[in-house]
Amino acid sequence: MLDAVNLETMGVPTVTFVVPAFLEAARAHARMRGIPDLRFVVIPNDYMSETDEQIAAKIEAVFDEVVDDLTAAP
């Protein structure tokens, strides 16, 4: 997430993927680092034990949200 904060500070739009269990912590860290509007896309489950196909399906499900967040005016 620090990379996203640094990029946003340089004017590069980002979207950070996060699992539900870490969303509030990620929001708090973004606020503490001065980027309260950092954009997050929530992936429904922890993906570490899933196959590439399962991960791809989750990414595909939120792809439009990612594109919208990256192209919308801040």
Short mmCIF file of all heavy atoms in Angstrom, two decimals:
data_model
loop_
_atom_site.label_atom_id
_atom_site.label_comp_id
_atom_site.label_asym_id
_atom_site.label_seq_id
_atom_site.Cartn_x
_atom_site.Cartn_y
_atom_site.Cartn_z
N MET A 1 0.81 -1.19 0.00
CA MET A 1 0.00 0.00 0.00
C MET A 1 0.86 1.26 0.00
O MET A 1 0.44 2.27 -0.53
CB MET A 1 -0.94 -0.01 1.19
CG MET A 1 -2.00 1.02 1.04
SD MET A 1 -3.11 1.07 2.41
CE MET A 1 -2.24 2.16 3.45
N LEU A 2 2.03 1.18 0.58
CA LEU A 2 2.91 2.34 0.58
C LEU A 2 3.25 2.75 -0.85
O LEU A 2 3.34 3.95 -1.14
CB LEU A 2 4.18 2.05 1.38
CG LEU A 2 5.14 3.21 1.55
CD1 LEU A 2 4.46 4.43 2.17
CD2 LEU A 2 6.32 2.78 2.41
N ASP A 3 3.40 1.79 -1.74
CA ASP A 3 3.65 2.12 -3.15
C ASP A 3 2.49 2.94 -3.71
O ASP A 3 2.70 3.92 -4.43
CB ASP A 3 3.84 0.86 -3.98
CG ASP A 3 5.16 0.17 -3.69
OD1 ASP A 3 6.09 0.83 -3.20
OD2 ASP A 3 5.25 -1.04 -3.96
N ALA A 4 1.25 2.53 -3.40
CA ALA A 4 0.09 3.26 -3.90
C ALA A 4 0.09 4.68 -3.36
O ALA A 4 -0.19 5.63 -4.10
CB ALA A 4 -1.20 2.53 -3.51
N VAL A 5 0.41 4.86 -2.09
CA VAL A 5 0.47 6.20 -1.50
C VAL A 5 1.52 7.04 -2.21
O VAL A 5 1.27 8.19 -2.58
CB VAL A 5 0.74 6.12 0.02
CG1 VAL A 5 1.07 7.49 0.59
CG2 VAL A 5 -0.45 5.50 0.74
N ASN A 6 2.70 6.46 -2.43
CA ASN A 6 3.77 7.20 -3.11
C ASN A 6 3.37 7.57 -4.53
O ASN A 6 3.61 8.70 -4.97
CB ASN A 6 5.06 6.39 -3.10
CG ASN A 6 5.68 6.30 -1.73
OD1 ASN A 6 5.45 7.15 -0.87
ND2 ASN A 6 6.44 5.25 -1.51
N LEU A 7 2.78 6.64 -5.25
CA LEU A 7 2.35 6.93 -6.62
C LEU A 7 1.27 8.00 -6.65
O LEU A 7 1.31 8.92 -7.47
CB LEU A 7 1.86 5.65 -7.31
CG LEU A 7 2.96 4.66 -7.69
CD1 LEU A 7 2.35 3.31 -8.05
CD2 LEU A 7 3.78 5.20 -8.84
N GLU A 8 0.29 7.89 -5.76
CA GLU A 8 -0.78 8.89 -5.70
C GLU A 8 -0.19 10.27 -5.41
O GLU A 8 -0.63 11.27 -5.98
CB GLU A 8 -1.82 8.51 -4.65
CG GLU A 8 -2.67 7.32 -5.02
CD GLU A 8 -3.79 7.64 -5.99
OE1 GLU A 8 -4.13 8.83 -6.18
OE2 GLU A 8 -4.34 6.69 -6.57
N THR A 9 0.79 10.34 -4.53
CA THR A 9 1.44 11.61 -4.20
C THR A 9 2.10 12.22 -5.43
O THR A 9 2.15 13.43 -5.58
CB THR A 9 2.46 11.39 -3.08
OG1 THR A 9 1.78 10.86 -1.94
CG2 THR A 9 3.13 12.69 -2.68
N MET A 10 2.57 11.36 -6.34
CA MET A 10 3.20 11.83 -7.58
C MET A 10 2.18 12.08 -8.68
O MET A 10 2.53 12.45 -9.80
CB MET A 10 4.22 10.81 -8.07
CG MET A 10 5.40 10.67 -7.14
SD MET A 10 6.73 9.58 -7.73
CE MET A 10 5.89 8.08 -8.14
N GLY A 11 0.88 11.88 -8.38
CA GLY A 11 -0.16 12.14 -9.36
C GLY A 11 -0.53 10.95 -10.23
O GLY A 11 -1.26 11.10 -11.20
N VAL A 12 -0.05 9.77 -9.87
CA VAL A 12 -0.37 8.56 -10.63
C VAL A 12 -1.54 7.86 -9.94
O VAL A 12 -1.43 7.46 -8.78
CB VAL A 12 0.85 7.61 -10.70
CG1 VAL A 12 0.49 6.33 -11.44
CG2 VAL A 12 2.03 8.31 -11.33
N PRO A 13 -2.68 7.71 -10.64
CA PRO A 13 -3.83 7.05 -10.01
C PRO A 13 -3.54 5.58 -9.73
O PRO A 13 -2.88 4.91 -10.52
CB PRO A 13 -4.96 7.20 -11.02
CG PRO A 13 -4.40 7.89 -12.20
CD PRO A 13 -2.96 8.15 -11.98
N THR A 14 -4.03 5.10 -8.61
CA THR A 14 -3.86 3.70 -8.23
C THR A 14 -5.17 3.12 -7.72
O THR A 14 -6.08 3.85 -7.35
CB THR A 14 -2.80 3.53 -7.13
OG1 THR A 14 -3.28 4.15 -5.93
CG2 THR A 14 -1.46 4.13 -7.53
N VAL A 15 -5.20 1.81 -7.70
CA VAL A 15 -6.26 1.06 -7.03
C VAL A 15 -5.56 -0.04 -6.26
O VAL A 15 -4.71 -0.74 -6.80
CB VAL A 15 -7.26 0.45 -8.03
CG1 VAL A 15 -8.25 -0.45 -7.33
CG2 VAL A 15 -8.00 1.54 -8.79
N THR A 16 -5.88 -0.18 -5.01
CA THR A 16 -5.26 -1.19 -4.16
C THR A 16 -6.27 -2.29 -3.88
O THR A 16 -7.39 -2.02 -3.44
CB THR A 16 -4.79 -0.56 -2.84
OG1 THR A 16 -3.83 0.47 -3.14
CG2 THR A 16 -4.15 -1.58 -1.93
N PHE A 17 -5.87 -3.52 -4.15
CA PHE A 17 -6.72 -4.68 -3.86
C PHE A 17 -6.53 -5.05 -2.40
O PHE A 17 -5.41 -5.07 -1.89
CB PHE A 17 -6.33 -5.86 -4.74
CG PHE A 17 -6.67 -5.65 -6.18
CD1 PHE A 17 -5.77 -5.05 -7.04
CD2 PHE A 17 -7.90 -6.05 -6.67
CE1 PHE A 17 -6.08 -4.85 -8.37
CE2 PHE A 17 -8.22 -5.85 -8.01
CZ PHE A 17 -7.31 -5.25 -8.86
N VAL A 18 -7.63 -5.36 -1.74
CA VAL A 18 -7.58 -5.70 -0.32
C VAL A 18 -8.69 -6.72 -0.03
O VAL A 18 -9.74 -6.70 -0.65
CB VAL A 18 -7.74 -4.42 0.54
CG1 VAL A 18 -9.08 -3.76 0.35
CG2 VAL A 18 -7.48 -4.70 2.01
N VAL A 19 -8.40 -7.61 0.91
CA VAL A 19 -9.42 -8.55 1.37
C VAL A 19 -10.20 -7.89 2.49
O VAL A 19 -9.69 -6.98 3.16
CB VAL A 19 -8.81 -9.90 1.81
CG1 VAL A 19 -8.18 -10.63 0.62
CG2 VAL A 19 -7.83 -9.74 2.93
N PRO A 20 -11.45 -8.31 2.69
CA PRO A 20 -12.31 -7.63 3.68
C PRO A 20 -11.68 -7.48 5.07
O PRO A 20 -11.84 -6.44 5.71
CB PRO A 20 -13.56 -8.51 3.74
CG PRO A 20 -13.61 -9.17 2.41
CD PRO A 20 -12.17 -9.40 2.02
N ALA A 21 -10.95 -8.47 5.52
CA ALA A 21 -10.38 -8.42 6.87
C ALA A 21 -9.40 -7.27 7.06
O ALA A 21 -9.18 -6.83 8.19
CB ALA A 21 -9.70 -9.75 7.19
N PHE A 22 -8.83 -6.77 5.97
CA PHE A 22 -7.82 -5.72 6.08
C PHE A 22 -8.29 -4.36 5.56
O PHE A 22 -7.51 -3.41 5.56
CB PHE A 22 -6.55 -6.14 5.34
CG PHE A 22 -5.88 -7.33 5.95
CD1 PHE A 22 -5.85 -8.54 5.27
CD2 PHE A 22 -5.33 -7.27 7.22
CE1 PHE A 22 -5.25 -9.65 5.84
CE2 PHE A 22 -4.74 -8.37 7.80
CZ PHE A 22 -4.70 -9.58 7.10
N LEU A 23 -9.54 -4.25 5.15
CA LEU A 23 -10.02 -3.01 4.56
C LEU A 23 -9.94 -1.83 5.52
O LEU A 23 -9.42 -0.77 5.17
CB LEU A 23 -11.45 -3.18 4.03
CG LEU A 23 -12.06 -1.93 3.40
CD1 LEU A 23 -11.21 -1.45 2.22
CD2 LEU A 23 -13.49 -2.21 2.97
N GLU A 24 -10.43 -1.99 6.73
CA GLU A 24 -10.41 -0.87 7.68
C GLU A 24 -8.99 -0.47 8.04
O GLU A 24 -8.68 0.72 8.17
CB GLU A 24 -11.24 -1.19 8.92
CG GLU A 24 -12.73 -1.24 8.63
CD GLU A 24 -13.24 0.00 7.89
OE1 GLU A 24 -12.90 1.13 8.29
OE2 GLU A 24 -13.97 -0.18 6.90
N ALA A 25 -8.10 -1.44 8.20
CA ALA A 25 -6.70 -1.13 8.49
C ALA A 25 -6.07 -0.39 7.32
O ALA A 25 -5.32 0.58 7.51
CB ALA A 25 -5.92 -2.40 8.80
N ALA A 26 -6.38 -0.81 6.10
CA ALA A 26 -5.84 -0.14 4.92
C ALA A 26 -6.34 1.30 4.84
O ALA A 26 -5.57 2.22 4.54
CB ALA A 26 -6.23 -0.92 3.66
N ARG A 27 -7.61 1.51 5.10
CA ARG A 27 -8.16 2.87 5.10
C ARG A 27 -7.49 3.74 6.16
O ARG A 27 -7.17 4.91 5.91
CB ARG A 27 -9.67 2.83 5.33
CG ARG A 27 -10.44 2.36 4.14
CD ARG A 27 -11.92 2.40 4.41
NE ARG A 27 -12.66 2.04 3.21
CZ ARG A 27 -13.85 1.49 3.22
NH1 ARG A 27 -14.47 1.23 4.37
NH2 ARG A 27 -14.45 1.19 2.09
N ALA A 28 -7.26 3.17 7.34
CA ALA A 28 -6.62 3.93 8.41
C ALA A 28 -5.19 4.31 8.02
O ALA A 28 -4.76 5.45 8.23
CB ALA A 28 -6.61 3.10 9.70
N HIS A 29 -4.46 3.38 7.42
CA HIS A 29 -3.09 3.69 7.00
C HIS A 29 -3.08 4.75 5.90
O HIS A 29 -2.21 5.63 5.91
CB HIS A 29 -2.39 2.41 6.52
CG HIS A 29 -1.93 1.55 7.64
ND1 HIS A 29 -0.75 1.76 8.31
CD2 HIS A 29 -2.50 0.48 8.23
CE1 HIS A 29 -0.62 0.86 9.26
NE2 HIS A 29 -1.67 0.07 9.23
N ALA A 30 -4.03 4.66 4.98
CA ALA A 30 -4.10 5.67 3.92
C ALA A 30 -4.35 7.05 4.52
O ALA A 30 -3.73 8.04 4.13
CB ALA A 30 -5.19 5.30 2.92
N ARG A 31 -5.26 7.13 5.49
CA ARG A 31 -5.54 8.42 6.15
C ARG A 31 -4.29 8.93 6.88
O ARG A 31 -3.95 10.10 6.78
CB ARG A 31 -6.70 8.27 7.14
CG ARG A 31 -8.06 8.27 6.49
CD ARG A 31 -9.18 8.38 7.53
NE ARG A 31 -9.13 7.36 8.55
CZ ARG A 31 -9.71 6.17 8.46
NH1 ARG A 31 -10.40 5.84 7.38
NH2 ARG A 31 -9.62 5.30 9.44
N MET A 32 -3.62 8.03 7.59
CA MET A 32 -2.42 8.44 8.34
C MET A 32 -1.31 8.93 7.40
O MET A 32 -0.50 9.76 7.80
CB MET A 32 -1.89 7.27 9.17
CG MET A 32 -2.75 6.95 10.37
SD MET A 32 -2.04 5.73 11.51
CE MET A 32 -1.67 4.36 10.45
N ARG A 33 -1.30 8.44 6.19
CA ARG A 33 -0.27 8.84 5.23
C ARG A 33 -0.73 10.01 4.35
O ARG A 33 -0.07 10.38 3.39
CB ARG A 33 0.14 7.66 4.38
CG ARG A 33 0.77 6.57 5.23
CD ARG A 33 1.62 5.66 4.43
NE ARG A 33 2.27 4.66 5.26
CZ ARG A 33 3.46 4.80 5.82
NH1 ARG A 33 4.13 5.91 5.67
NH2 ARG A 33 3.98 3.84 6.54
N GLY A 34 -1.91 10.57 4.68
CA GLY A 34 -2.36 11.77 4.00
C GLY A 34 -3.12 11.55 2.70
O GLY A 34 -3.33 12.48 1.94
N ILE A 35 -3.55 10.32 2.44
CA ILE A 35 -4.31 10.01 1.22
C ILE A 35 -5.64 9.36 1.64
O ILE A 35 -5.86 8.16 1.45
CB ILE A 35 -3.53 9.05 0.28
CG1 ILE A 35 -2.11 9.53 0.05
CG2 ILE A 35 -4.27 8.88 -1.04
CD1 ILE A 35 -1.97 10.72 -0.86
N PRO A 36 -6.55 10.13 2.23
CA PRO A 36 -7.79 9.53 2.72
C PRO A 36 -8.69 8.98 1.62
O PRO A 36 -9.56 8.15 1.90
CB PRO A 36 -8.47 10.68 3.47
CG PRO A 36 -7.90 11.91 2.85
CD PRO A 36 -6.49 11.56 2.45
N ASP A 37 -8.50 9.43 0.37
CA ASP A 37 -9.36 8.96 -0.72
C ASP A 37 -8.73 7.81 -1.51
O ASP A 37 -9.17 7.53 -2.61
CB ASP A 37 -9.63 10.05 -1.74
CG ASP A 37 -9.93 11.39 -1.14
OD1 ASP A 37 -10.02 11.49 0.07
OD2 ASP A 37 -10.07 12.34 -1.91
N LEU A 38 -7.69 7.20 -0.98
CA LEU A 38 -7.06 6.09 -1.69
C LEU A 38 -8.13 5.08 -2.05
O LEU A 38 -8.98 4.73 -1.23
CB LEU A 38 -5.98 5.44 -0.81
CG LEU A 38 -5.04 4.49 -1.52
CD1 LEU A 38 -4.19 5.23 -2.56
CD2 LEU A 38 -4.12 3.80 -0.52
N ARG A 39 -8.10 4.65 -3.29
CA ARG A 39 -9.15 3.75 -3.78
C ARG A 39 -8.78 2.30 -3.51
O ARG A 39 -7.67 1.87 -3.77
CB ARG A 39 -9.35 3.98 -5.28
CG ARG A 39 -9.96 5.36 -5.56
CD ARG A 39 -9.91 5.68 -7.04
NE ARG A 39 -8.54 5.82 -7.52
CZ ARG A 39 -7.86 6.96 -7.58
NH1 ARG A 39 -8.42 8.08 -7.19
NH2 ARG A 39 -6.63 7.00 -8.04
N PHE A 40 -9.76 1.58 -2.98
CA PHE A 40 -9.60 0.16 -2.67
C PHE A 40 -10.66 -0.63 -3.41
O PHE A 40 -11.81 -0.20 -3.52
CB PHE A 40 -9.76 -0.10 -1.17
CG PHE A 40 -8.72 0.56 -0.34
CD1 PHE A 40 -8.98 1.75 0.31
CD2 PHE A 40 -7.46 0.01 -0.23
CE1 PHE A 40 -8.01 2.38 1.08
CE2 PHE A 40 -6.47 0.63 0.54
CZ PHE A 40 -6.76 1.81 1.20
N VAL A 41 -10.26 -1.79 -3.90
CA VAL A 41 -11.20 -2.75 -4.47
C VAL A 41 -11.11 -3.98 -3.59
O VAL A 41 -10.02 -4.54 -3.39
CB VAL A 41 -10.86 -3.09 -5.93
CG1 VAL A 41 -11.73 -4.22 -6.43
CG2 VAL A 41 -11.04 -1.86 -6.81
N VAL A 42 -12.24 -4.38 -3.05
CA VAL A 42 -12.27 -5.50 -2.13
C VAL A 42 -12.42 -6.81 -2.91
O VAL A 42 -13.34 -6.95 -3.72
CB VAL A 42 -13.43 -5.34 -1.12
CG1 VAL A 42 -13.49 -6.54 -0.18
CG2 VAL A 42 -13.27 -4.04 -0.34
N ILE A 43 -11.49 -7.71 -2.67
CA ILE A 43 -11.56 -9.06 -3.22
C ILE A 43 -12.21 -9.91 -2.14
O ILE A 43 -11.75 -9.90 -0.99
CB ILE A 43 -10.14 -9.59 -3.55
CG1 ILE A 43 -9.47 -8.69 -4.57
CG2 ILE A 43 -10.21 -11.01 -4.06
CD1 ILE A 43 -10.15 -8.61 -5.90
N PRO A 44 -13.26 -10.65 -2.47
CA PRO A 44 -14.08 -11.30 -1.46
C PRO A 44 -13.36 -12.20 -0.46
O PRO A 44 -13.74 -12.26 0.67
CB PRO A 44 -15.08 -12.11 -2.26
CG PRO A 44 -15.10 -11.48 -3.60
CD PRO A 44 -13.75 -10.87 -3.81
N ASN A 45 -12.35 -12.94 -0.86
CA ASN A 45 -11.71 -13.90 0.05
C ASN A 45 -10.20 -13.79 -0.06
O ASN A 45 -9.66 -13.24 -1.02
CB ASN A 45 -12.10 -15.33 -0.31
CG ASN A 45 -13.57 -15.58 -0.16
OD1 ASN A 45 -14.16 -15.21 0.83
ND2 ASN A 45 -14.17 -16.19 -1.15
N ASP A 46 -9.55 -14.37 0.92
CA ASP A 46 -8.10 -14.47 0.84
C ASP A 46 -7.75 -15.37 -0.35
O ASP A 46 -8.30 -16.44 -0.50
CB ASP A 46 -7.56 -15.05 2.14
CG ASP A 46 -6.06 -15.02 2.19
OD1 ASP A 46 -5.44 -14.45 1.28
OD2 ASP A 46 -5.50 -15.57 3.16
N TYR A 47 -6.86 -14.92 -1.17
CA TYR A 47 -6.59 -15.60 -2.43
C TYR A 47 -5.32 -16.46 -2.40
O TYR A 47 -4.97 -17.08 -3.40
CB TYR A 47 -6.48 -14.58 -3.57
CG TYR A 47 -5.50 -13.48 -3.28
CD1 TYR A 47 -4.16 -13.64 -3.57
CD2 TYR A 47 -5.91 -12.30 -2.69
CE1 TYR A 47 -3.24 -12.65 -3.28
CE2 TYR A 47 -5.01 -11.30 -2.40
CZ TYR A 47 -3.68 -11.48 -2.71
OH TYR A 47 -2.78 -10.49 -2.42
N MET A 48 -4.64 -16.52 -1.31
CA MET A 48 -3.35 -17.21 -1.28
C MET A 48 -3.45 -18.71 -1.55
O MET A 48 -2.50 -19.31 -2.04
CB MET A 48 -2.66 -16.98 0.07
CG MET A 48 -2.36 -15.52 0.34
SD MET A 48 -1.33 -14.76 -0.94
CE MET A 48 0.23 -15.52 -0.58
N SER A 49 -4.57 -19.32 -1.27
CA SER A 49 -4.68 -20.78 -1.46
C SER A 49 -5.50 -21.12 -2.70
O SER A 49 -5.85 -22.28 -2.89
CB SER A 49 -5.32 -21.41 -0.23
OG SER A 49 -6.63 -20.89 -0.05
N GLU A 50 -5.79 -20.16 -3.55
CA GLU A 50 -6.63 -20.41 -4.71
C GLU A 50 -5.81 -20.61 -5.97
O GLU A 50 -4.65 -20.19 -6.06
CB GLU A 50 -7.62 -19.26 -4.87
CG GLU A 50 -8.58 -19.20 -3.70
CD GLU A 50 -9.63 -18.13 -3.85
OE1 GLU A 50 -9.44 -17.22 -4.66
OE2 GLU A 50 -10.63 -18.22 -3.14
N THR A 51 -6.43 -21.21 -6.96
CA THR A 51 -5.77 -21.43 -8.24
C THR A 51 -5.73 -20.13 -9.03
O THR A 51 -6.46 -19.17 -8.73
CB THR A 51 -6.52 -22.47 -9.08
OG1 THR A 51 -7.80 -21.93 -9.43
CG2 THR A 51 -6.70 -23.78 -8.32
N ASP A 52 -4.89 -20.11 -10.05
CA ASP A 52 -4.83 -18.94 -10.92
C ASP A 52 -6.19 -18.65 -11.54
O ASP A 52 -6.58 -17.48 -11.68
CB ASP A 52 -3.80 -19.15 -12.04
CG ASP A 52 -2.37 -19.13 -11.53
OD1 ASP A 52 -2.14 -18.71 -10.37
OD2 ASP A 52 -1.47 -19.53 -12.30
N GLU A 53 -6.92 -19.69 -11.89
CA GLU A 53 -8.24 -19.50 -12.50
C GLU A 53 -9.22 -18.86 -11.52
O GLU A 53 -10.02 -18.00 -11.89
CB GLU A 53 -8.80 -20.83 -13.01
CG GLU A 53 -8.04 -21.41 -14.19
CD GLU A 53 -6.72 -22.10 -13.79
OE1 GLU A 53 -6.53 -22.45 -12.60
OE2 GLU A 53 -5.87 -22.25 -14.69
N GLN A 54 -9.18 -19.27 -10.27
CA GLN A 54 -10.06 -18.68 -9.25
C GLN A 54 -9.71 -17.21 -9.01
O GLN A 54 -10.60 -16.38 -8.88
CB GLN A 54 -9.96 -19.47 -7.94
CG GLN A 54 -10.57 -20.86 -8.03
CD GLN A 54 -10.25 -21.70 -6.81
OE1 GLN A 54 -9.10 -21.73 -6.36
NE2 GLN A 54 -11.25 -22.40 -6.30
N ILE A 55 -8.44 -16.92 -8.97
CA ILE A 55 -8.01 -15.53 -8.78
C ILE A 55 -8.44 -14.70 -9.98
O ILE A 55 -8.96 -13.59 -9.83
CB ILE A 55 -6.49 -15.47 -8.56
CG1 ILE A 55 -6.13 -16.14 -7.24
CG2 ILE A 55 -6.01 -14.02 -8.58
CD1 ILE A 55 -4.65 -16.37 -7.05
N ALA A 56 -8.24 -15.22 -11.18
CA ALA A 56 -8.63 -14.50 -12.39
C ALA A 56 -10.12 -14.19 -12.39
O ALA A 56 -10.54 -13.10 -12.79
CB ALA A 56 -8.24 -15.29 -13.63
N ALA A 57 -10.93 -15.14 -11.94
CA ALA A 57 -12.39 -14.92 -11.89
C ALA A 57 -12.73 -13.79 -10.92
O ALA A 57 -13.60 -12.97 -11.21
CB ALA A 57 -13.10 -16.21 -11.47
N LYS A 58 -12.02 -13.69 -9.80
CA LYS A 58 -12.27 -12.61 -8.84
C LYS A 58 -11.87 -11.26 -9.43
O LYS A 58 -12.56 -10.27 -9.25
CB LYS A 58 -11.53 -12.86 -7.55
CG LYS A 58 -12.15 -13.97 -6.74
CD LYS A 58 -11.44 -14.18 -5.45
CE LYS A 58 -12.13 -15.31 -4.71
NZ LYS A 58 -11.52 -15.62 -3.46
N ILE A 59 -10.74 -11.24 -10.12
CA ILE A 59 -10.29 -10.00 -10.74
C ILE A 59 -11.26 -9.59 -11.84
O ILE A 59 -11.63 -8.41 -11.96
CB ILE A 59 -8.86 -10.15 -11.30
CG1 ILE A 59 -7.89 -10.49 -10.19
CG2 ILE A 59 -8.44 -8.89 -12.05
CD1 ILE A 59 -7.83 -9.50 -9.05
N GLU A 60 -11.70 -10.54 -12.62
CA GLU A 60 -12.66 -10.24 -13.69
C GLU A 60 -13.95 -9.65 -13.12
O GLU A 60 -14.52 -8.73 -13.70
CB GLU A 60 -12.97 -11.50 -14.49
CG GLU A 60 -13.83 -11.24 -15.70
CD GLU A 60 -14.03 -12.48 -16.54
OE1 GLU A 60 -13.11 -13.32 -16.63
OE2 GLU A 60 -15.13 -12.61 -17.12
N ALA A 61 -14.36 -10.14 -11.97
CA ALA A 61 -15.60 -9.66 -11.35
C ALA A 61 -15.52 -8.19 -10.94
O ALA A 61 -16.54 -7.51 -10.86
CB ALA A 61 -15.96 -10.53 -10.15
N VAL A 62 -14.31 -7.70 -10.67
CA VAL A 62 -14.16 -6.30 -10.22
C VAL A 62 -13.44 -5.44 -11.25
O VAL A 62 -13.13 -4.28 -10.99
CB VAL A 62 -13.43 -6.22 -8.86
CG1 VAL A 62 -14.25 -6.90 -7.76
CG2 VAL A 62 -12.03 -6.79 -8.94
N PHE A 63 -13.19 -5.98 -12.44
CA PHE A 63 -12.41 -5.27 -13.45
C PHE A 63 -13.01 -3.91 -13.79
O PHE A 63 -12.30 -2.91 -13.84
CB PHE A 63 -12.26 -6.12 -14.71
CG PHE A 63 -11.39 -5.49 -15.74
CD1 PHE A 63 -10.01 -5.53 -15.61
CD2 PHE A 63 -11.93 -4.84 -16.84
CE1 PHE A 63 -9.18 -4.93 -16.55
CE2 PHE A 63 -11.11 -4.24 -17.79
CZ PHE A 63 -9.74 -4.29 -17.64
N ASP A 64 -14.31 -3.85 -14.02
CA ASP A 64 -14.95 -2.57 -14.35
C ASP A 64 -14.78 -1.55 -13.23
O ASP A 64 -14.58 -0.36 -13.49
CB ASP A 64 -16.43 -2.77 -14.67
CG ASP A 64 -16.65 -3.49 -15.98
OD1 ASP A 64 -15.73 -3.51 -16.83
OD2 ASP A 64 -17.75 -4.06 -16.16
N GLU A 65 -14.85 -2.00 -11.99
CA GLU A 65 -14.65 -1.10 -10.86
C GLU A 65 -13.23 -0.53 -10.86
O GLU A 65 -13.02 0.66 -10.60
CB GLU A 65 -14.91 -1.85 -9.55
CG GLU A 65 -14.78 -1.00 -8.31
CD GLU A 65 -15.04 -1.77 -7.03
OE1 GLU A 65 -15.48 -2.93 -7.08
OE2 GLU A 65 -14.79 -1.18 -5.97
N VAL A 66 -12.26 -1.37 -11.18
CA VAL A 66 -10.87 -0.92 -11.24
C VAL A 66 -10.70 0.14 -12.33
O VAL A 66 -10.12 1.20 -12.10
CB VAL A 66 -9.90 -2.10 -11.49
CG1 VAL A 66 -8.49 -1.62 -11.76
CG2 VAL A 66 -9.94 -3.07 -10.31
N VAL A 67 -11.24 -0.13 -13.51
CA VAL A 67 -11.13 0.82 -14.62
C VAL A 67 -11.81 2.13 -14.24
O VAL A 67 -11.27 3.21 -14.46
CB VAL A 67 -11.72 0.23 -15.91
CG1 VAL A 67 -11.81 1.29 -17.00
CG2 VAL A 67 -10.87 -0.95 -16.38
N ASP A 68 -13.01 2.04 -13.65
CA ASP A 68 -13.72 3.26 -13.25
C ASP A 68 -12.90 4.08 -12.25
O ASP A 68 -12.80 5.30 -12.36
CB ASP A 68 -15.08 2.91 -12.63
CG ASP A 68 -16.08 2.41 -13.66
OD1 ASP A 68 -15.83 2.57 -14.87
OD2 ASP A 68 -17.10 1.84 -13.25
N ASP A 69 -12.32 3.40 -11.26
CA ASP A 69 -11.54 4.10 -10.24
C ASP A 69 -10.29 4.75 -10.83
O ASP A 69 -9.87 5.83 -10.39
CB ASP A 69 -11.12 3.14 -9.12
CG ASP A 69 -12.25 2.87 -8.15
OD1 ASP A 69 -13.30 3.54 -8.22
OD2 ASP A 69 -12.10 1.96 -7.31
N LEU A 70 -9.68 4.10 -11.81
CA LEU A 70 -8.46 4.65 -12.40
C LEU A 70 -8.73 5.78 -13.38
O LEU A 70 -7.84 6.60 -13.63
CB LEU A 70 -7.67 3.54 -13.10
CG LEU A 70 -7.00 2.53 -12.18
CD1 LEU A 70 -6.39 1.41 -13.00
CD2 LEU A 70 -5.94 3.20 -11.31
N THR A 71 -9.93 5.84 -13.92
CA THR A 71 -10.20 6.85 -14.95
C THR A 71 -11.13 7.96 -14.49
O THR A 71 -11.29 8.95 -15.19
CB THR A 71 -10.79 6.19 -16.20
OG1 THR A 71 -11.99 5.48 -15.84
CG2 THR A 71 -9.81 5.21 -16.83
N ALA A 72 -11.73 7.83 -13.31
CA ALA A 72 -12.64 8.86 -12.80
C ALA A 72 -11.83 10.03 -12.24
O ALA A 72 -10.72 9.85 -11.74
CB ALA A 72 -13.54 8.28 -11.72
N ALA A 73 -12.39 11.18 -12.31
CA ALA A 73 -11.74 12.37 -11.72
C ALA A 73 -11.69 12.18 -10.22
O ALA A 73 -12.64 11.70 -9.61
CB ALA A 73 -12.51 13.62 -12.08
N PRO A 74 -10.58 12.57 -9.60
CA PRO A 74 -10.45 12.40 -8.12
C PRO A 74 -11.41 13.27 -7.37
O PRO A 74 -11.91 14.23 -7.80
CB PRO A 74 -9.01 12.81 -7.85
CG PRO A 74 -8.45 13.37 -9.08
CD PRO A 74 -9.41 13.13 -10.19
#
